[in-house]
Amino acid sequence: MQPQLSGCNDVLPGSPWRRAVHHTPCRVMSQFSAEDEAELQSLLRQLLKSVKERISGAPSVECAEEILLHLEETDKNFHNYEFVKYLRQYVESTLGAVIEEETESCAKGDGHTIGSGQDTLVHAVTRRARESSQYKQMMQTLKQTMMVIVESLINKFEEDQLKKEEMNRNSQHEQSSSHYTDNCSDSDSSFNQSYAFIKQEQLQVISEKLDPSRPREVRWEALQSLCCAPPSDVLSCESWTGLRRNLSAALADPDPDLSDKVLRFFAKTFSSSPLNVTREIYTSLVKSLESDFLYHKLSFPTESAGMDVNRPDIARLLKQMRLMNDFQQEVTTFWIRHPEKYMEEIIESTLALLSLHHEHGIGPHGSEKALEPVHFLSLLDIKATWFKKWMHGYYSRTVVLRLLERKYKSVIVTAVQQCIYYFESYDPVREETLEIAHAMEHQQIGPAQRSFYSAKELEYTYFIHSLCVLGRLLMYTNGRKLFPIKVRKRRDPVTLTDLVVVLINIMYQHPNTSYSDSAHTDSLSPTSMVTEVLKTLCERTECAVECIYQTPVIETLLAPIFALLKGKPAKLNSPESSLTHIADTLARIATTQRGLALFLYERKLVSAEGDGITAGHVIVQFTQKLLAKELPASTELENSPAVKGAFIFVCRQMYNTCEGLQVLRPYSLHECIAKAWRKTSSLSERVPTPVPGAIPSSSSQELQNAVAWEEVLLDNLLNFAATPKGLLLLQQTGAIHECVTYMFSRFTKKLQVSRCEKFGYGVMVTQVAATAPGIVALHSSGFIQAIVVELWSALECGREDVRVVHPKSTPMDPIDRSCLKSFLTLVNLMSSPHAVWELLGHQTLPNKTEYNLREMPTSIIDVMDRLVVINSDAKIHSLFNYEQSHTFGLRLLSVMCCNLDSLLLLESQYKLSDILLQSQKDNAIEASSGEGEFIIDGLSVERNHLLVRMNAIGGPSERRLPPRALQKGTDPYPWPMFSSYPPPNCYILDVPKPLRTKQDSEISAFLASSKEAERDENWMESCRRHYCKAMTSKSTVLTGNVLADLLEKAVLHLSSSSANCFFPPAEYKVVDHYVKTRKLTSVEQLGISISLRYGLFLKLLREDSEQDLCLLIKHSQEFLSQQRVTLQSELCYLRGGYPGHDWFSSTIFLLMGGDVGRSLSLLLRFSRLLPSAVLWPARLYSSMHLPVEMAQSGIPPLYSCTAHYVEMLLKAEVPLVFSAFRMSGFTPSQMCIQWLGQCFWNYLDWPEICHYVSTCIIMGPDYQVYMCIAVLKHLQQDILQYTQTQDLQVFLKEDPIHGFRVSDYLEYMEGLERSYRGMVLTDMRSILLKST
């Protein structure tokens, strides 16, 4: 809010360059008063002046009239003219009631006579309003008033003309009527004064009369004449130089009437002339001000005195500075349309004025300080809006910076000097600072404007103005290049770092006054202004690197924290306020990738303290002590929710990233926050029920504060769910349900995650939904119900406010745009098999005989029943948009079935294949030959695609999925449809039969020669070298028996070494007869059927291999069940045995060519190795080798460890892909656990699946992480493309990974191993309870 000065608002009455505080409203009556007529006359004159250029070029009066009649059609500013606004308001006030009455009448009583359509209604109301008596009276009054106004303007024009003629006679210059271009009729004479031209001789006379030696009356008349002349004529006359000099003299004249008259002429020029004219006037104004400040030096007020803006000389300067500042702010909107030299003249003259300062004072001994132009400009534009606008565009910014560097660096020097002066003049009891800030911020409140400013107020406004100028300057590279700057009384130049440190120290001087509460926070306080500058610098990478990410700056920010940690008092005037702002700045630093790395890894930042730890560690330690109330030096901070919440928020910017959580995990901050939440929650439960009329007690207010603090803690706990490992920690706190409920409350209000987050809760919801406890928490919070209801509303109900006359358009896409968001949300929720197990496991479909049309689904099982499994006429008739809604359900089912475990559950419970096949059969027409022909429509095409997807197993080169779109031509759908399994052979691609014989290769030779040396410690290293060489040179040899032999020997060697054995040896002696009696669930039987079908297709198995595979799965279950613990849990995932199919065991079975003995032997040995913990998901299900809290969490290590490091490495190695996932609301972890959980079945061809398994076993389990990074890097272009089309999730789920070969990326993965193995492998080991 700008300071308003008494006596300055009447500088230019009627001019658009005057800052109007308010407008006079129109009189709501039929008759105009004398004041109304005067105002209307002034507005009409302004309008005619504004359109002068349009009508001056008209060849005749008739043409001029035509231009005016069509002004609304040709002038884009027509409705912005004050005259037009006045008339519009007058018409509304006169006819508003009439129009409302007629509208109601048409809508209620006799609407049947009007007809349909809004336009007809408007015409009817308009006709009746024009026929009303009010309209006729209004038009009559308006005509009479305008006639009076026009007559008055004509008389004024004639009086002005007579005065001019008299003046010309006195000066003995004959003038003829040819000085005026038109003899206009009465109808247009009201704007004749805009047409008046003036000769060069007359301007010469005016210039002479303006000479300072002439009497005041003569100069006044000359100025009157000058104001009637076109500014372009004045500036183009030969005597402009002398005229300009005399105008400057008049501007500096003590007589306020003369100086005001010149200002009026300048303002008229600014408002009606192009830049080539106005820049002359502006530079004249600035030069006049410069002369004033040079030759009429004003003393800076003393402490006891002040500056009275009503003092004539001060008021005159302020008026001129006000006009100058107004032009500065407006000129940026149009100077780009003119040559750069004009802009450069304006900028240079301004900087020349501001660089004017008195080095040695103005007193007899040079001790008295002077008032400078910047003091006045600071009063008028305290936040330097003019400079911000000049620096905003590149066009003007380059000129400003070039001139500052070459000629006017002193402007920046004085600004820096003022900031340093403000800091060094620090008063320990600076109570006045916020009083001044508060006064400057709210000075317009009250009946009268301020007219007196103290010396401290002037210094303070100068400081704020300087701070804003410097803050804007530091945003740009060439602005920062102006540093270091040499200032007075400092030996060393001031660097960027020095300046930022000074600003931070100013922030620390924030006084502890009554204005510190939120109700009295002033935007002009030093702390607020400095915080705003620091915020701006933090948001720009280059600025932050040069200004913020410097050791002295970080040390200054952390200095109070260090002091408090060491039990010393912090040197802060108001610890609570200052620490809150420190935390805000630190949080903004941590939000950026560069700043986060600085906090987590840079140890030099705190070297001065000798601790050798990073800034992140310091912040977390301080936050922990705050929460635990272990800061003896400042007990009041421990009870301040604002400070505690601010520092938790800083930590949150670190722990909501994978790399930040990795560094901060040893501090168990989640437990500290959870402990504080539990304590606060117990207090908030005691909030009494409010009684109407009762006065709230102090204890009631405290409890309400406790509720607010509880929400802050829940919000920060919730953000642990931003990463896979963080979600595990959140689950272990026991607060996941409360956090998700809190998230849902914010999600429904469409609130941002935080002030530092660019995206909403989409990513967090997806992350939570990937786990069993997360999806259960989402379900209990009501989130899933809300999503389903929103989906149904969009899909079946449509908007209730849409009229029947505007029917909903027929969707052209399978998933209409109105439903796309709901579709993607459901895809994100149901992508994980955990979500399917928890929401659909053991759930039967309602399958009602009748559905009420008003009955809305509220759960996922309802969606399955109403949209997916449509197996009755009742379900079809219950849908308003059957085809669109069923297509939606089939598309959702298609995405869900991409996860093989989800497919097995749905197929075993609902017999989906049978229902879809029956629907296809029902969609066939019986032909005369007896064979049915299928009707090709949208649903039959969708079902055909889905049936092939559910039955055919294979990678990109092993199966062919029929498209969902019709083709152009005579045969729009050449793909055969079917109504019984197996599908036609065209969907199964032929693959060559693998060679099971020994192949002559280097790896075979190595295996043959190393039988004796398998116990050698170096054998594994040699094996890895040969494997890498074979993979990079000729990976095709690593198939069949060669690869099986290699894996057997590698696992045998590793399991024979106690150093390589991670799990203790387990005795497993169970006879086949006992194992065969085990019953397999329907899910396991379907999994075996799919595995067998894939093995037969690959020609790896025989027709009778089913019994062998069943035996292997039973042995595997028996063996693993002996190492499981019984858990009491509400999660479906943890009830009974492993809920999915053991895809890893099936993969080993196929890899071993269906040899159950070799497969079981390999699995038993492999179970002792660390790779089994991540490669074999069933291995650690409810395992005794896991910590109890981790086993009970329902979050597998594959998610909390592997997926966590995939996200962490992806952000560092392939940042574009990571950002694409964030923007899409999807997570890399969800996709990776699907790939890894089913061993890349359906995503990679069989040879690449074998290479994935062998690479992770031979090279190490951390290669599982690198494999995912390599795949995502391979898919980068596709991921970026599908992110733009908003179907990234569907693409990654449904499409196989084309063109990926493990051998092509092995070298890349080795590079990742060198960079990350130490961290990844260490953490993989730490998640388990290693038994010896």
Side-chain angles (χ1 to χ4, degrees):
M1 193 176 292
Q2 305 294 342
Q4 297 293 328
L5 305 174
S6 170
C8 293
N9 279 332
D10 58 345
V11 176
L12 309 162
S15 167
W17 295 94
R18 176 174 60 88
R19 289 193 188 184
V21 177
H22 59 272
H23 297 285
T24 304
C26 296
R27 294 175 64 87
V28 185
M29 56 176 63
S30 58
Q31 300 295 329
F32 287 81
S33 65
E35 292 83 4
D36 292 331
E37 291 180 3
E39 183 175 5
L40 199 54
Q41 180 176 337
S42 173
L43 296 176
L44 178 60
R45 186 185 293 113
Q46 283 185 19
L47 172 66
L48 297 172
K49 286 181 180 179
S50 301
V51 299
K52 180 192 69 174
E53 293 183 3
R54 285 177 170 271
I55 58 179
S56 61
S60 65
V61 174
E62 290 76 12
C63 292
E65 289 180 352
E66 192 68 19
I67 290 172
L68 284 174
L69 287 173
H70 296 278
L71 195 61
E72 184 176 7
E73 303 166 16
T74 58
D75 190 347
K76 65 180 181 180
N77 295 317
F78 177 81
H79 293 282
N80 293 328
Y81 294 132
E82 294 297 328
F83 180 75
V84 177
K85 292 180 181 178
Y86 189 102
L87 289 182
R88 185 190 300 115
Q89 187 172 352
Y90 175 75
V91 172
E92 288 175 357
S93 62
T94 307
L95 297 180
V98 177
I99 293 172
E100 288 179 6
E101 290 174 5
E102 294 298 337
T103 304
E104 291 180 4
S105 174
C106 292
K108 290 181 180 178
D110 50 352
H112 61 277
T113 63
I114 294 173
S116 61
Q118 188 178 358
D119 293 340
T120 311
L121 177 65
V122 171
H123 291 155
V125 172
T126 304
R127 175 173 53 78
R128 294 188 182 187
R130 294 187 66 174
E131 292 172 357
S132 66
S133 59
Q134 291 92 332
Y135 176 83
K136 294 175 181 177
Q137 183 181 359
M138 179 193 74
M139 291 303 297
Q140 185 178 0
T141 303
L142 206 54
K143 283 182 181 178
Q144 292 175 354
T145 305
M146 292 307 297
M147 288 176 64
V148 172
I149 290 172
V150 170
E151 186 67 28
S152 175
L153 286 173
I154 293 172
N155 294 337
K156 181 71 169 59
F157 168 74
E158 291 174 351
E159 290 174 10
D160 290 345
Q161 189 176 21
L162 290 174
K163 286 182 180 179
K164 290 176 184 177
E165 290 176 354
E166 183 179 358
M167 180 186 68
N168 293 340
R169 284 194 300 272
N170 293 339
S171 60
Q172 297 180 353
H173 287 278
E174 287 192 15
Q175 302 292 331
S176 66
S177 59
S178 62
H179 294 165
Y180 308 99
T181 58
D182 285 328
N183 292 318
C184 298
S185 63
D186 290 346
S187 64
D188 64 333
S189 58
S190 61
F191 51 86
N192 272 343
Q193 72 179 52
S194 296
Y195 284 159
F197 287 93
I198 194 164
K199 284 189 172 181
Q200 297 287 337
E201 295 85 354
Q202 189 177 0
L203 284 171
Q204 179 64 40
V205 171
I206 292 174
S207 177
E208 293 172 0
K209 286 188 174 184
L210 281 174
D211 190 277
S213 60
R214 294 296 187 99
R216 176 195 176 281
E217 292 75 12
V218 175
R219 298 170 73 193
W220 170 258
E221 288 183 3
L223 285 172
Q224 282 281 82
S225 302
L226 191 65
C227 286
C228 297
S232 56
D233 291 355
V234 175
L235 267 71
S236 61
C237 73
E238 298 175 356
S239 56
W240 165 244
T241 304
L243 185 60
R244 178 179 180 177
R245 183 175 58 253
N246 292 337
L247 283 173
S248 297
L251 200 59
D253 197 282
D255 188 341
D257 292 337
L258 287 177
S259 60
D260 285 358
K261 200 68 177 176
V262 178
L263 281 182
R264 291 174 188 271
F265 172 69
F266 282 3
K268 175 185 174 183
T269 307
F270 286 155
S271 62
S272 61
S273 302
L275 189 64
N276 61 331
V277 176
T278 55
R279 50 111 186 184
E280 285 275 0
I281 298 298
Y282 179 82
T283 52
S284 299
L285 174 63
V286 174
K287 296 238 178 250
S288 174
L289 283 166
E290 193 174 342
S291 301
D292 258 348
F293 281 101
L294 275 174
Y295 300 113
H296 304 91
K297 298 176 180 177
L298 299 171
S299 300
F300 193 85
T302 59
E303 289 292 330
S304 57
M307 186 179 79
D308 185 0
V309 298
N310 289 326
R311 209 174 82 189
D313 54 343
I314 300 293
R316 177 173 51 80
L317 288 173
L318 278 172
K319 290 176 183 179
Q320 295 173 26
M321 294 290 284
R322 165 75 75 182
L323 182 60
M324 180 191 80
N325 184 243
D326 286 344
F327 181 78
Q328 287 172 341
Q329 297 190 38
E330 294 292 335
V331 71
T332 56
T333 59
F334 55 83
W335 63 10
I336 195 171
R337 299 194 294 267
H338 298 272
E340 186 177 321
K341 64 178 182 179
Y342 295 164
M343 177 185 65
E344 190 164 346
E345 284 185 36
I346 293 171
I347 294 174
E348 183 163 11
S349 61
T350 306
L351 295 179
L353 174 66
L354 296 181
S355 64
L356 184 68
H357 58 277
H358 308 280
E359 291 287 346
H360 304 294
I362 59 174
H365 302 291
S367 58
E368 192 175 350
K369 191 176 179 181
L371 271 174
E372 296 173 357
V374 70
H375 288 111
F376 289 82
L377 188 58
S378 302
L379 268 181
L380 297 168
D381 187 5
I382 190 168
K383 289 190 175 181
T385 307
W386 68 275
F387 190 74
K388 292 178 183 177
K389 290 187 174 183
W390 285 17
M391 294 291 284
H392 180 69
Y394 178 81
Y395 182 67
S396 54
R397 183 169 65 245
T398 51
V399 177
V400 173
L401 293 174
R402 185 177 71 243
L403 290 172
L404 284 174
E405 180 185 11
R406 295 180 181 176
K407 298 175 66 175
Y408 302 105
K409 198 170 183 178
S410 60
V411 175
I412 306 304
V413 172
T414 53
V416 174
Q417 185 72 52
Q418 181 64 19
C419 291
I420 295 174
Y421 169 75
Y422 181 83
F423 167 61
E424 292 179 345
S425 61
Y426 163 61
D427 184 359
V429 189
R430 186 174 282 187
E431 296 291 337
E432 292 184 3
T433 301
L434 278 190
E435 293 175 2
I436 293 172
H438 188 74
M440 300 306 294
E441 177 75 12
H442 303 280
Q443 60 181 318
Q444 279 195 305
I445 296 175
Q449 296 174 345
R450 297 189 60 193
S451 61
F452 182 84
Y453 293 88
S454 66
K456 287 187 176 181
E457 286 177 324
L458 290 176
E459 288 287 8
Y460 187 72
T461 56
Y462 184 15
F463 158 67
I464 296 296
H465 186 274
S466 301
L467 179 60
C468 292
V469 168
L470 292 173
R472 185 61 49 165
L473 191 74
L474 296 183
M475 288 171 57
Y476 305 103
T477 303
N478 289 330
R480 295 191 295 275
K481 286 181 179 177
L482 296 174
F483 288 80
I485 286 178
K486 182 68 178 174
V487 298
R488 289 185 289 114
K489 298 182 180 179
R490 285 179 77 98
R491 184 181 62 185
D492 299 324
V494 178
T495 63
L496 284 171
T497 303
D498 295 336
L499 177 61
V500 176
V501 169
V502 167
L503 297 182
I504 294 172
N505 283 314
I506 289 173
M507 184 171 70
Y508 291 169
Q509 296 173 3
H510 189 291
N512 191 8
T513 70
S514 59
Y515 300 120
S516 60
D517 62 290
S518 59
H520 295 91
T521 300
D522 296 302
S523 64
L524 292 179
S525 69
T527 301
S528 299
M529 297 302 298
V530 170
T531 304
E532 191 64 30
V533 170
L534 294 177
K535 170 188 170 183
T536 304
L537 297 180
C538 290
E539 288 174 346
R540 294 170 172 255
T541 304
E542 293 183 0
C543 298
V545 169
E546 295 184 41
C547 302
I548 305 295
Y549 303 159
Q550 302 294 325
T551 301
V553 174
I554 303 298
E555 284 184 344
T556 306
L557 286 170
L558 296 179
I561 302 174
F562 268 121
L564 291 170
L565 279 175
K566 294 185 175 180
K568 303 174 184 176
K571 297 178 181 179
L572 302 171
N573 228 2
S574 175
E576 182 177 357
S577 172
S578 297
L579 283 170
T580 304
H581 285 91
I582 290 172
D584 183 63
T585 305
L586 292 173
R588 295 191 182 278
I589 295 174
T591 303
T592 64
Q593 188 60 31
R594 187 79 174 265
L596 180 63
L598 189 80
F599 280 1
L600 296 179
Y601 309 120
E602 185 57 63
R603 295 182 178 274
K604 296 179 182 177
L605 296 175
V606 290
S607 57
E609 297 292 331
D611 293 333
I613 60 174
T614 65
H617 288 282
V618 175
I619 295 167
V620 178
Q621 289 174 14
F622 180 72
T623 307
Q624 274 190 316
K625 288 186 178 294
L626 264 181
L627 290 172
K629 297 186 177 183
E630 296 175 356
L631 289 175
S634 187
T635 54
E636 69 271 14
L637 294 177
E638 297 170 352
N639 298 318
S640 169
V643 176
K644 290 189 286 189
F647 274 93
I648 295 174
F649 187 77
V650 183
C651 298
R652 163 173 156 182
Q653 301 311 307
M654 293 185 276
Y655 68 65
N656 68 5
T657 65
C658 294
E659 61 271 34
L661 187 64
Q662 184 72 19
V663 173
L664 304 187
R665 195 173 44 161
Y667 291 96
S668 299
L669 191 61
H670 61 290
E671 294 178 0
C672 299
I673 301 175
K675 182 179 178 181
W677 167 73
R678 281 189 287 270
K679 182 178 179 181
T680 309
S681 179
S682 63
L683 291 174
S684 63
E685 289 174 357
R686 304 175 198 167
V687 177
T689 304
V691 179
I695 301 174
S697 63
S698 59
S699 60
S700 174
Q701 184 61 43
E702 289 176 5
L703 290 172
Q704 290 176 13
N705 293 338
V707 172
W709 174 230
E710 180 187 1
E711 288 192 349
V712 170
L713 292 169
L714 277 177
D715 192 24
N716 288 294
L717 265 180
L718 171 65
N719 275 263
F720 277 98
T723 64
K725 194 179 293 293
L727 183 57
L728 173 65
L729 299 179
L730 174 61
Q731 193 279 333
Q732 292 174 353
T733 64
I736 187 169
H737 283 267
E738 290 80 1
C739 288
V740 171
T741 301
Y742 171 78
M743 176 179 68
F744 175 56
S745 69
R746 290 183 62 84
F747 182 84
T748 53
K749 298 172 187 174
K750 293 181 169 55
L751 298 176
Q752 237 181 329
V753 178
S754 75
R755 62 181 180 273
C756 295
E757 293 289 332
K758 296 179 181 178
F759 304 103
Y761 283 100
V763 172
M764 203 174 294
V765 169
T766 309
Q767 199 76 272
V768 170
T771 64
I775 198 69
V776 169
L778 284 170
H779 183 263
S780 63
S781 70
F783 180 88
I784 293 176
Q785 178 179 344
I787 293 298
V788 172
V789 170
E790 181 183 352
L791 159 68
W792 195 261
S793 300
L795 194 61
E796 279 291 305
C797 303
R799 283 174 39 212
E800 294 181 0
D801 57 345
V802 177
R803 293 186 178 183
V804 179
V805 293
H806 296 293
K808 188 176 179 181
S809 59
T810 303
M812 301 301 293
D813 299 319
I815 304 295
D816 189 46
R817 301 298 298 179
S818 62
C819 307
L820 181 61
K821 182 179 179 182
S822 298
F823 176 74
L824 294 177
T825 303
L826 280 178
V827 168
N828 292 345
L829 285 174
M830 304 303 294
S831 286
S832 167
H834 293 275
V836 178
W837 290 331
E838 296 300 326
L839 299 179
L840 296 176
H842 309 293
Q843 297 278 336
T844 57
L845 295 175
N847 284 327
K848 298 180 182 178
T849 55
E850 185 179 355
Y851 290 86
N852 190 331
L853 292 176
R854 294 184 177 275
E855 183 181 348
M856 296 183 71
T858 57
S859 63
I860 298 297
I861 192 67
D862 290 343
V863 172
M864 293 292 295
D865 182 50
R866 301 289 298 277
L867 299 181
V868 181
V869 189
I870 299 183
N871 52 359
S872 68
D873 290 340
K875 293 183 180 181
I876 294 175
H877 296 154
S878 72
L879 298 174
F880 287 111
N881 306 302
Y882 165 63
E883 187 165 343
Q884 181 192 355
S885 298
H886 191 28
T887 301
F888 182 99
L890 293 177
R891 285 289 175 103
L892 178 62
L893 178 62
S894 175
V895 178
M896 290 169 63
C897 288
C898 291
N899 187 294
L900 293 180
D901 282 326
S902 299
L903 170 63
L904 296 182
L905 179 76
L906 296 175
E907 179 66 19
S908 64
Q909 287 190 178
Y910 307 127
K911 303 295 185 283
L912 293 177
S913 297
D914 295 342
I915 294 173
L916 293 173
L917 289 169
Q918 183 61 43
S919 297
Q920 290 296 75
K921 186 180 296 184
D922 294 341
N923 210 44
I925 302 174
E926 288 289 339
S928 58
S929 61
E931 295 182 1
E933 291 186 4
F934 292 94
I935 298 174
I936 297 175
D937 58 13
L939 290 176
S940 63
V941 170
E942 286 289 340
R943 284 192 292 263
N944 195 49
H945 176 92
L946 192 50
L947 285 166
V948 176
R949 179 180 291 279
M950 293 169 65
N951 184 266
I953 301 296
S957 303
E958 296 168 348
R959 70 171 177 173
R960 180 186 290 124
L961 297 176
R964 288 167 164 149
L966 301 182
Q967 301 175 358
K968 292 182 179 180
T970 56
D971 190 3
Y973 194 75
W975 305 93
M977 292 190 177
F978 55 96
S979 57
S980 61
Y981 276 147
N985 291 331
C986 65
Y987 298 120
I988 309 297
L989 303 178
D990 195 22
V991 294
K993 185 174 182 178
L995 298 175
R996 302 302 304 179
T997 58
K998 304 286 185 180
Q999 301 174 21
D1000 293 331
S1001 64
E1002 191 172 334
I1003 197 79
S1004 300
F1006 166 73
L1007 292 175
S1009 64
S1010 60
K1011 289 182 179 180
E1012 301 277 332
E1014 287 180 4
R1015 296 281 182 178
D1016 187 1
E1017 293 180 358
N1018 298 323
W1019 184 88
M1020 202 62 214
E1021 286 300 320
S1022 179
C1023 178
R1024 291 188 180 111
R1025 285 197 304 272
H1026 281 86
Y1027 177 77
C1028 293
K1029 185 177 180 181
M1031 283 287 287
T1032 52
S1033 60
K1034 196 176 182 182
S1035 60
T1036 53
V1037 302
L1038 288 172
T1039 56
N1041 283 334
V1042 175
L1043 189 59
D1045 292 345
L1046 177 63
L1047 286 179
E1048 268 191 320
K1049 295 198 174 181
V1051 170
L1052 177 62
H1053 175 83
L1054 291 171
S1055 60
S1056 301
S1057 168
S1058 58
N1060 291 319
C1061 285
F1062 191 76
F1063 297 102
E1067 292 292 331
Y1068 180 70
K1069 294 180 181 179
V1070 180
V1071 295
D1072 287 352
H1073 174 72
Y1074 173 77
V1075 172
K1076 287 178 181 179
T1077 59
R1078 286 184 65 98
K1079 295 291 185 182
L1080 294 176
T1081 65
S1082 56
V1083 168
E1084 292 163 343
Q1085 290 171 0
L1086 281 172
I1088 289 171
S1089 176
I1090 288 177
S1091 303
L1092 183 66
R1093 195 160 60 242
Y1094 189 37
L1096 290 173
F1097 160 70
L1098 294 172
K1099 302 180 179 63
L1100 296 172
L1101 303 180
R1102 304 179 307 276
E1103 291 290 343
D1104 60 351
S1105 296
E1106 182 176 0
Q1107 293 301 321
D1108 291 341
L1109 180 54
C1110 288
L1111 185 61
L1112 177 66
I1113 295 298
K1114 290 179 179 180
H1115 272 293
S1116 173
Q1117 289 179 348
E1118 181 65 27
F1119 167 69
L1120 294 177
S1121 65
Q1122 295 175 4
Q1123 301 182 43
R1124 288 175 183 156
V1125 293
T1126 303
L1127 299 172
Q1128 297 298 324
S1129 175
E1130 297 179 355
L1131 301 176
C1132 293
Y1133 172 66
L1134 294 178
R1135 294 180 198 160
Y1138 184 67
H1141 178 68
D1142 192 345
W1143 298 105
F1144 181 76
S1145 295
S1146 293
T1147 303
I1148 294 298
F1149 183 73
L1150 267 62
L1151 204 150
M1152 292 296 170
D1155 189 329
V1156 66
R1158 292 181 71 188
S1159 301
L1160 181 58
S1161 176
L1162 178 69
L1163 288 174
L1164 292 176
R1165 291 194 184 99
F1166 181 65
S1167 67
R1168 298 188 59 191
L1169 306 179
L1170 178 60
S1172 68
V1174 289
L1175 277 180
W1176 193 359
R1179 172 73 179 91
L1180 289 183
Y1181 173 77
S1182 299
S1183 174
M1184 59 175 22
H1185 303 298
L1186 285 176
V1188 176
E1189 62 273 13
M1190 189 170 183
Q1192 287 181 332
S1193 70
I1195 300 177
L1198 187 65
Y1199 177 80
S1200 62
C1201 185
T1202 299
H1204 180 84
Y1205 283 104
V1206 168
E1207 293 201 0
M1208 181 174 173
L1209 270 62
L1210 187 67
K1211 184 178 180 181
E1213 298 294 328
V1214 201
L1216 289 179
V1217 170
F1218 182 82
S1219 299
F1221 274 101
R1222 297 282 295 179
M1223 287 188 288
S1224 67
F1226 199 45
T1227 59
S1229 56
Q1230 271 224 3
M1231 203 58 240
C1232 290
I1233 59 174
Q1234 177 164 329
W1235 287 339
L1236 303 175
Q1238 60 196 51
C1239 289
F1240 286 97
W1241 283 35
N1242 279 353
Y1243 289 101
L1244 293 178
D1245 291 332
W1246 175 249
E1248 303 310 316
I1249 294 174
C1250 295
H1251 291 162
Y1252 154 69
V1253 173
S1254 58
T1255 300
C1256 293
I1257 293 176
I1258 294 172
M1259 303 300 292
D1262 52 330
Y1263 269 75
Q1264 187 183 54
V1265 175
Y1266 314 145
M1267 174 81 176
C1268 292
I1269 300 297
V1271 170
L1272 291 169
K1273 182 180 176 65
H1274 174 77
L1275 294 173
Q1276 177 167 336
Q1277 291 306 316
D1278 291 326
I1279 288 173
L1280 298 179
Q1281 175 187 340
Y1282 283 98
T1283 301
Q1284 292 180 343
T1285 56
Q1286 296 184 9
D1287 52 1
L1288 175 63
Q1289 299 95 314
V1290 179
F1291 160 71
L1292 289 173
K1293 287 278 184 180
E1294 293 191 340
D1295 283 27
I1297 304 167
H1298 291 276
F1300 180 82
R1301 298 178 70 232
V1302 178
S1303 57
D1304 294 340
Y1305 285 89
L1306 188 61
E1307 186 176 347
Y1308 173 73
M1309 289 189 272
E1310 288 181 289
L1312 294 177
E1313 177 201 340
R1314 288 190 289 271
S1315 301
Y1316 300 105
R1317 164 159 279 189
M1319 174 179 62
V1320 177
L1321 210 52
T1322 301
D1323 197 57
M1324 283 184 170
R1325 292 177 176 274
S1326 68
I1327 63 172
L1328 308 175
L1329 289 176
K1330 183 174 179 180
S1331 302
T1332 55

